[in-house]
Amino acid sequence: MAKNPSNRKALTSSTRRGARYTSKSKAFPWTAVLLTALAALGVGWAGWSWWQGRQVGGDFARLAEQGKPQLGRVIERPDAGRLHAALGQPLGFRDDPPTSGTHWPSWTSAGFYTAAEPKEKLVHSMEHGNVVIYYDQPGDEALRTLRAWAGRFRGQWDGLVVVRKAGIGRGIELTAWNRLLRLEGWDAAAAAAFVDAYRGRGPENPVR
């Protein structure tokens, strides 16, 4: 009996369609699995971030209460004014680090910085109510804690700015408007008490 070419062609076409369908069918579950895994990771990360935030918050409050006696070491400086100068104009400050004085109209946003920031911007940050912390080589524990605090306190009017300052070694310098606390080594309780006492209380827009 003669073979029908049209039947063979139809079978071949049908087989190819079936192969394509089978290929797509096999790919679909893997896509679904991948999307499900990504969603699970997202939920897990959000949960971990929430838990970490709760831990940082709880530890900070406890440390701030514990460090209150250290606030007696805070140096209060005379107010050097709040004038604005042209952006980029070099300005001299009578104190190092400065805690007030003429400054630029721009400021350093709250956060953790691995390099120095212009003092002319940092003074403006303090005018807003931010606490500025200077570090150099304080040790791993201090850096981890400062990063966590900087991630927690992000407000424009009550944030925390952590910046590098070469030459102070293991010391820490904490500044707020007209306030300074120098630590020879990392003291989490003293640092937390300072941040809690002066964050959000700048002269431009006090929010605490």
Side-chain angles (χ1 to χ4, degrees), residues 133-145:
I133 300 181
Y134 298 90
Y135 73 93
D136 185 14
Q137 300 173 357
D140 292 341
E141 179 187 350
L143 292 177
R144 282 194 300 269
T145 303

Side-chain angles (χ1 to χ4, degrees), residues 51-135:
W51 179 84
Q52 186 184 49
R54 296 273 295 183
Q55 290 295 106
V56 170
D59 288 346
F60 180 85
R62 175 181 57 79
L63 287 169
E65 185 65 28
Q66 181 181 335
K68 279 183 177 180
Q70 299 299 322
L71 294 178
R73 299 166 52 195
V74 173
I75 298 171
E76 297 189 21
R77 288 174 167 174
D79 196 309
R82 298 169 49 195
L83 296 177
H84 285 182
L87 182 63
Q89 176 184 344
L91 301 173
F93 293 96
R94 68 188 183 190
D95 296 313
D96 180 33
T99 54
S100 62
T102 301
H103 50 272
W104 291 349
S106 62
W107 59 88
T108 299
S109 298
F112 185 96
Y113 295 83
T114 58
E117 281 284 300
K119 295 176 181 178
E120 294 86 350
K121 293 175 64 178
L122 294 173
V123 171
H124 197 156
S125 298
M126 287 184 286
E127 183 187 28
H128 278 196
N130 286 243
V131 167
V132 176
I133 300 181
Y134 298 90
Y135 73 93

Side-chain angles (χ1 to χ4, degrees), residues 125-190:
S125 298
M126 287 184 286
E127 183 187 28
H128 278 196
N130 286 243
V131 167
V132 176
I133 300 181
Y134 298 90
Y135 73 93
D136 185 14
Q137 300 173 357
D140 292 341
E141 179 187 350
L143 292 177
R144 282 194 300 269
T145 303
L146 290 173
R147 281 183 183 275
W149 291 357
R152 176 177 172 81
F153 302 118
R154 301 286 300 178
Q156 178 179 336
W157 306 103
D158 58 355
L160 180 62
V161 182
V162 183
V163 295
R164 185 176 291 278
K165 180 181 179 182
I168 61 175
R170 298 187 64 83
I172 297 285
E173 295 178 344
L174 300 101
T175 58
W177 193 259
N178 294 334
R179 301 289 192 279
L180 167 66
L181 175 61
R182 281 194 173 99
L183 302 175
E184 293 183 1
W186 176 239
D187 184 334

